[in-house]
């Protein structure tokens, strides 16, 4: 009976995906792990200042949520990179389906949130 239930469980879990997550999975910008949790790969800044790539998961919280990556920089200096999981409504507002790019000119601190594996590299 477990074999009968598993597809139903998978269906129930995937139907809980937010519209944004579904859209991003369809476009290859987000992946579902074996537990159907949306994941992406981001560069993250370690405490010692170096960066590594890491699997980032959609975190639990209020309302429909999804996951992306972020980068913060000023001019040509990188300040931080990391995972960004938030409510869908704020991700739609803040993030884009494109890489984070610095023009290297503006000395102002810039924040960028993006969807797609290593889009914050
Ligand atoms: C920073 O820390 C990581 C993990 O602890 C280590 O692998 C890496 O070599 C360190 N990098 C530097 C520049 O110290």
């Amino acid at each position: 009976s477990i074999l009968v239930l598993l597809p139903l469980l998978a269906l129930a879990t995937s139907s809980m995906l937010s519209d944004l997550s579904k859209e991003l999975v369809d476009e290859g910008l987000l992946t579902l792990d074996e537990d159907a949790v949306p994941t992406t790969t981001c560069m993250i800044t370690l405490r010692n200042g170096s960066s590594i790539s890491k699997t980032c998961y959609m975190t639990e919280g209020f309302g429909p949520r999804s996951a992306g990556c972020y980068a913060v920089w000023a001019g040509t200096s990188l300040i931080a990179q990391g995972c960004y999981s938030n409510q869908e409504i704020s991700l739609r507002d803040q993030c884009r389906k494109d890489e984070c790019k610095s023009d290297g000119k503006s000395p102002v601190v810039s924040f960028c949130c993006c969807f797609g594996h290593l889009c914050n590299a």
Side-chain angles (χ1 to χ4, degrees), residues 46 48-50:
L46 300 175
N48 64 12
S50 61

PDB file of all heavy atoms in Angstrom, residues 46 48-50, ligand 1:
ATOM      1  N   LEU A  46      31.927  32.640   3.220  1.00  0.00           N
ATOM      2  CA  LEU A  46      32.276  32.060   4.525  1.00  0.00           C
ATOM      3  C   LEU A  46      32.758  33.168   5.459  1.00  0.00           C
ATOM      4  O   LEU A  46      33.050  34.270   5.021  1.00  0.00           O
ATOM      5  CB  LEU A  46      33.379  31.014   4.358  1.00  0.00           C
ATOM      6  CG  LEU A  46      33.046  29.837   3.446  1.00  0.00           C
ATOM      7  CD1 LEU A  46      34.272  28.943   3.265  1.00  0.00           C
ATOM      8  CD2 LEU A  46      31.885  29.037   4.008  1.00  0.00           C
ATOM      9  N   ASN A  48      35.520  33.573   6.841  1.00  0.00           N
ATOM     10  CA  ASN A  48      36.876  34.061   6.539  1.00  0.00           C
ATOM     11  C   ASN A  48      36.935  34.834   5.218  1.00  0.00           C
ATOM     12  O   ASN A  48      38.009  35.156   4.733  1.00  0.00           O
ATOM     13  CB  ASN A  48      37.884  32.902   6.557  1.00  0.00           C
ATOM     14  CG  ASN A  48      37.615  31.883   5.474  1.00  0.00           C
ATOM     15  OD1 ASN A  48      36.820  32.116   4.562  1.00  0.00           O
ATOM     16  ND2 ASN A  48      38.297  30.735   5.564  1.00  0.00           N
ATOM     17  N   GLY A  49      35.791  35.069   4.599  1.00  0.00           N
ATOM     18  CA  GLY A  49      35.757  35.910   3.410  1.00  0.00           C
ATOM     19  C   GLY A  49      35.830  35.169   2.090  1.00  0.00           C
ATOM     20  O   GLY A  49      35.566  35.747   1.044  1.00  0.00           O
ATOM     21  N   SER A  50      36.187  33.867   2.103  1.00  0.00           N
ATOM     22  CA  SER A  50      36.203  33.143   0.836  1.00  0.00           C
ATOM     23  C   SER A  50      34.799  32.634   0.519  1.00  0.00           C
ATOM     24  O   SER A  50      33.936  32.580   1.390  1.00  0.00           O
ATOM     25  CB  SER A  50      37.230  32.011   0.877  1.00  0.00           C
ATOM     26  OG  SER A  50      36.924  31.095   1.878  1.00  0.00           O
TER      27      SER A  50
HETATM   28  C1  LIG B   1      38.179  29.621   4.650  1.00  0.00           C
HETATM   29  O1  LIG B   1      37.533  28.590   5.370  1.00  0.00           O
HETATM   30  C2  LIG B   1      37.303  27.412   4.600  1.00  0.00           C
HETATM   31  C3  LIG B   1      36.451  26.450   5.440  1.00  0.00           C
HETATM   32  O2  LIG B   1      36.659  26.568   6.794  1.00  0.00           O
HETATM   33  C4  LIG B   1      38.636  26.828   4.162  1.00  0.00           C
HETATM   34  O3  LIG B   1      38.437  25.642   3.416  1.00  0.00           O
HETATM   35  C5  LIG B   1      39.367  27.852   3.312  1.00  0.00           C
HETATM   36  O4  LIG B   1      40.642  27.368   2.957  1.00  0.00           O
HETATM   37  C6  LIG B   1      39.507  29.161   4.078  1.00  0.00           C
HETATM   38  N1  LIG B   1      40.031  30.185   3.150  1.00  0.00           N
HETATM   39  C7  LIG B   1      40.952  31.070   3.503  1.00  0.00           C
HETATM   40  C8  LIG B   1      41.339  32.058   2.447  1.00  0.00           C
HETATM   41  O5  LIG B   1      41.475  31.075   4.618  1.00  0.00           O
END
